[in-house]
Amino acid sequence: RSIYLGNRKNTSEVVRRFGSRKELLKQDLGGLDPEDWVRAEIAKMNEEEKQGEVFFSLSERKRIPKEEQRNFHIGHFFLAGLYHGLGLEKLSHNISAKHKFKYDLDAILSMLVYARILFPGSKRASVIDSKQLYGITPVEEHQVYRALDVLALHSDEIQAEIYKNSTKLIKRKTSILYYDCTNYFFEISSPRGLRQYGIAKDHKPKPLVQMGLFMDASGVPLAFSIHPGNVNEQTTLQPLEEKILKDFECSKFIVCTDAGLASTANRKYNTKGDRAFVTVQSVKKLKKYLEEWALSPEGWRLPDSEKIYTLYDLDEEKDKDKIFYKERWINENNLEQRLIVSYSLKYKEYKQSVRQGHVERALKAIGRREKGSKRVNPNDFRRFIGNVKYTEEGEVAEHTKLYLNEEQIEKEQMYDGFYAVCTNLEGDAKDIIRINKNRWQVESCFKVLKSEFRSRPVNLQKDDRIHAHFLSCFIALILFRILKLKLNHKGKIFTDEKLTDTLRAMEISYISKQGYVPHYTPDEKTDRLHDFVGFHTDTEIIRTSTLRKYLAQAKKLKFK
């Protein structure tokens, strides 16, 4: 058989040996002459090959040529259509035209995005691991670092263009926008540039960088910003929102945030134009008369009902899944807003369970002689550890006694089951509660970035490169979330973990001059990925020409 190797070169190989005429005469050929039987067999093989059958022989005496790569990854086949659909190839070429460099910016950006999803790690590791990606242009490590400087320079332009092009792939639900902040630590001994000491939720004594993230109601990121770790997170919302108003042509939306970002300035800012706000309100931080009203067992209602309930009369079983609420308009700091307080027996049970776990950890810490935390953090079990100094005679002195702070436990129990939001919206309270309920998705975005994509720790020094690192993570997150939306339908749900696991398992091996053999286990999840791209890579073997065609087809994927 003749094999085309490319570059106008051909070779030939033996597919099957039939033996000599003398050897064939010893076999049962069904009464046929050996030559006629061989011709019939060849005709049969040609017909089977047309049907996709492949015949080859392997030898244990023939060694694989040195440096010949046989293992490849094709997980990016299911991401390539979204990458090109977001216009990133064209955008990379446009940016390249504005600068004088010879490296391929598109090859570098696509590598960074695919590697972040498929095998996350450092930039150096990404360059090495990306060599596994079938059909991807190889890049040099020093070119990647230079490209990061350019990407950071065009970050706002890239974000705006991605949003515009994403509206062609999915319906963006921008009537409600969710905003939150998180921080990333750096393994350095002293602060520099963006990397500054700030309040870390995990209490790591490391310099931090903050990321602010806007997400739409479908769970797809919209825009992000990077700030020094010592910046008050409440001041990060308005600049990014102004960028959305200016560059994204979005002007009518509701901004939903948690309590940490709910400053009066931010609330007032989102009473302007066609904007509104829904924000979490800490019941503990309400003025005393409002807190007493919120915690009062009287005056509770259910959505779509005029009946008034008293919390003392609730049934632990029958009313467990119900959400009761009360509301009133208040005027605080010259801001007219609506305070809605909800109460749930299920939420009460959840808070009690979480606190019990913290109490158990506190008791173990007391046994180890661990001191309590000076900073009161609702997620730190050490808040339940009390310290008192004493002498053998009972007077205050230098000895320290640790104890379980029952007073702190009782204080927190008062708020079990209660949850409050403030808004300047009118309308049904259940709709306001539902808007806030979906706020978990922006927290889920951060979880994907930190856990699945391993976006931290960041091993970069220059501020621009740090920003570009998070830009590549942001783009990867958008691709990932859009793919998840495309796959999740008709009650079939892909979790973040299952989707990354499935994509990362898509490996193939090359068989010399024949094609590629899949090395993953086909299942319902891989079927959904293949249905999305319109071809299957789970056949027993894939010819080289077919695999090239699949990659080209993936890049030109059409979206409904």
Side-chain angles (χ1 to χ4, degrees):
R1 181 172 65 182
S2 177
I3 303 291
Y4 177 63
L5 299 177
N7 297 324
R8 299 182 180 180
K9 294 181 180 179
N10 291 282
T11 188
S12 61
E13 66 171 355
V14 176
V15 176
R16 178 180 173 186
R17 295 183 184 276
F18 292 101
S20 66
R21 180 181 179 84
K22 185 178 180 179
E23 290 171 334
L24 289 174
L25 285 171
K26 295 178 183 180
Q27 301 178 27
D28 181 10
L29 305 180
L32 294 175
D33 179 80
E35 290 185 13
D36 293 336
W37 181 83
V38 168
R39 290 191 187 97
E41 285 296 304
I42 292 174
K44 181 180 176 182
M45 290 169 61
N46 286 333
E47 183 60 31
E48 288 176 337
E49 188 170 18
K50 289 179 182 178
Q51 301 299 321
E53 300 287 341
V54 176
F55 300 90
F56 57 88
S57 59
L58 300 175
S59 172
E60 64 179 14
R61 292 190 297 272
K62 187 176 181 181
R63 297 182 63 185
I64 297 173
K66 290 188 181 342
E67 307 301 327
E68 181 177 290
Q69 184 176 348
R70 295 260 172 144
N71 292 326
F72 294 88
H73 205 289
I74 56 171
H76 59 297
F77 279 37
F78 309 95
L79 301 166
L82 297 173
Y83 178 89
H84 288 266
L86 291 173
L88 288 164
E89 181 182 27
K90 181 180 179 181
L91 187 57
S92 295
H93 294 329
N94 292 340
I95 292 173
S96 298
K98 300 175 183 178
H99 299 269
K100 294 181 179 180
F101 53 71
K102 295 182 179 180
Y103 55 79
D104 189 336
L105 184 62
D106 174 58
I108 292 172
L109 179 58
S110 60
M111 179 279 292
L112 289 172
V113 171
Y114 296 154
R116 183 55 50 190
I117 298 173
L118 299 175
F119 15 73
S122 67
K123 298 297 173 284
R124 176 175 297 177
S126 295
V127 170
I128 296 171
D129 292 337
S130 66
K131 293 177 182 178
Q132 301 174 46
L133 297 175
Y134 179 86
I136 293 295
T137 304
V139 299
E140 299 294 332
E141 185 181 346
H142 67 91
Q143 294 175 339
V144 172
Y145 290 113
R146 292 174 184 173
L148 291 176
D149 296 330
V150 176
L151 290 171
L153 186 64
H154 294 272
S155 178
D156 288 353
E157 176 187 348
I158 292 171
Q159 291 183 58
E161 190 69 14
I162 286 176
Y163 168 72
K164 184 180 74 173
N165 292 325
S166 70
T167 60
K168 303 171 187 176
L169 308 185
I170 57 170
K171 184 178 180 180
R172 299 301 301 257
K173 299 179 181 179
T174 55
S175 60
I176 303 171
L177 302 182
Y178 296 87
Y179 183 74
D180 203 354
C181 273
T182 192
N183 51 54
Y184 297 85
F185 67 87
F186 285 73
E187 296 289 354
I188 57 175
S189 57
S190 58
R192 290 192 294 273
L194 284 171
R195 299 163 292 173
Q196 298 292 327
Y197 289 119
I199 300 175
K201 294 178 181 179
D202 52 8
H203 303 296
K204 289 184 182 292
K206 302 288 184 182
L208 309 170
V209 163
Q210 286 192 68
M211 171 189 268
L213 181 70
F214 264 111
M215 180 198 78
D216 71 11
S218 61
V220 178
L222 190 72
F224 83 101
S225 58
I226 297 296
H227 305 275
N230 58 359
V231 168
N232 183 341
E233 64 178 9
Q234 293 184 348
T235 65
T236 65
L237 182 146
Q238 291 185 34
L240 188 55
E241 193 171 331
E242 287 171 0
K243 184 167 70 175
I244 290 174
L245 290 166
K246 175 178 174 289
D247 298 338
F248 289 54
E249 298 180 358
C250 296
S251 58
K252 185 176 182 179
F253 50 79
I254 301 164
V255 175
C256 186
T257 69
D258 67 7
L261 293 156
S263 66
T264 299
N266 285 342
R267 299 186 199 196
K268 287 182 176 180
Y269 180 74
N270 280 305
T271 60
K272 301 174 182 178
D274 293 323
R275 306 194 304 280
F277 68 86
V278 175
T279 187
V280 177
Q281 171 63 56
S282 171
V283 177
K284 299 176 184 178
K285 294 182 180 180
L286 287 170
K287 290 185 176 180
K288 188 172 183 180
Y289 78 97
L290 290 174
E291 181 182 344
E292 291 175 350
W293 167 82
L295 298 179
S296 169
E298 309 293 335
W300 295 87
R301 299 172 57 188
L302 283 172
D304 303 320
S305 173
E306 296 298 323
K307 183 178 178 180
I308 304 300
Y309 293 83
T310 300
L311 298 186
Y312 293 139
D313 298 333
L314 299 186
D315 187 288
E316 293 287 341
E317 293 300 323
K318 293 180 180 179
D319 297 323
K320 186 175 182 178
D321 294 324
K322 297 176 181 177
I323 298 178
F324 299 85
Y325 77 95
K326 60 169 63 174
E327 61 176 310
R328 64 185 290 174
W329 284 88
I330 61 175
N331 193 319
E332 300 290 328
N333 300 313
N334 295 317
L335 176 63
E336 195 78 21
Q337 54 187 327
R338 185 179 173 194
L339 173 62
I340 303 173
V341 183
S342 63
Y343 179 82
S344 165
L345 289 169
K346 182 179 285 188
Y347 185 55
K348 176 182 179 180
E349 185 179 286
Y350 165 75
K351 296 294 288 185
Q352 289 174 336
S353 174
V354 171
R355 185 170 52 254
Q356 181 58 36
H358 289 174
V359 168
E360 291 172 1
R361 291 180 67 187
L363 288 171
K364 290 179 181 179
I366 290 172
R368 297 191 299 265
R369 299 288 299 166
E370 292 183 22
K371 292 185 178 181
S373 173
K374 294 180 180 180
R375 193 177 287 160
V376 179
N377 186 318
N379 297 314
D380 189 347
F381 69 89
R382 290 175 295 177
R383 70 190 186 279
F384 294 139
I385 300 177
N387 308 309
V388 63
K389 292 184 177 181
Y390 67 98
T391 64
E392 295 299 331
E393 291 76 24
E395 299 175 1
V396 176
E398 295 183 357
H399 298 292
T400 301
K401 179 180 180 181
L402 305 180
Y403 65 94
L404 187 66
N405 192 335
E406 299 282 357
E407 183 180 348
Q408 179 65 26
I409 295 173
E410 291 179 8
K411 188 182 298 184
E412 290 190 15
Q413 286 175 338
M414 292 172 51
Y415 304 96
D416 287 350
F418 295 93
Y419 194 90
V421 297
C422 278
T423 182
N424 61 336
L425 290 170
E426 298 184 5
D428 203 319
K430 68 179 180 181
D431 294 331
I432 310 299
I433 294 172
R434 185 172 62 250
I435 289 172
N436 181 70
K437 191 175 181 180
N438 288 329
R439 193 174 49 81
W440 66 271
Q441 290 200 64
V442 72
E443 296 173 357
S444 176
C445 284
F446 289 139
K447 181 182 177 183
V448 170
L449 287 173
K450 293 182 177 181
S451 300
E452 298 300 320
F453 292 179
R454 289 172 54 193
S455 56
R456 62 177 182 180
V458 185
N459 300 308
L460 294 166
Q461 302 299 318
K462 294 177 63 177
D463 286 352
D464 283 349
R465 294 178 180 180
I466 291 170
H467 188 110
H469 163 74
F470 289 113
L471 174 63
S472 66
C473 293
F474 170 78
I475 296 172
L477 182 61
I478 291 178
L479 262 66
F480 185 77
R481 279 301 173 95
I482 294 178
L483 178 60
K484 190 176 173 183
L485 283 177
K486 294 289 185 180
L487 297 174
N488 288 350
H489 58 86
K490 297 180 180 178
K492 297 178 179 179
I493 302 299
F494 247 125
T495 64
D496 296 327
E497 294 81 2
K498 285 183 178 179
L499 182 51
T500 51
D501 288 347
T502 303
L503 289 171
R504 290 169 186 172
M506 306 296 281
E507 296 181 347
I508 57 175
S509 286
Y510 176 63
I511 296 177
S512 181
K513 303 174 186 177
Q514 300 299 324
Y516 298 81
V517 175
H519 276 295
Y520 58 89
T521 303
D523 56 19
E524 186 268 342
K525 297 187 291 296
T526 60
D527 281 348
R528 284 157 66 187
L529 283 170
H530 288 125
D531 290 342
F532 170 64
V533 293
F535 55 78
H536 275 261
T537 63
D538 54 1
T539 53
E540 290 184 345
I541 193 166
I542 313 168
R543 291 189 180 281
T544 301
S545 59
T546 302
L547 197 61
R548 290 180 186 143
K549 181 183 74 175
Y550 286 166
L551 180 56
Q553 184 176 332
K555 292 179 179 179
K556 297 177 181 178
L557 196 63
K558 301 295 183 182
F559 297 93
K560 297 179 181 179

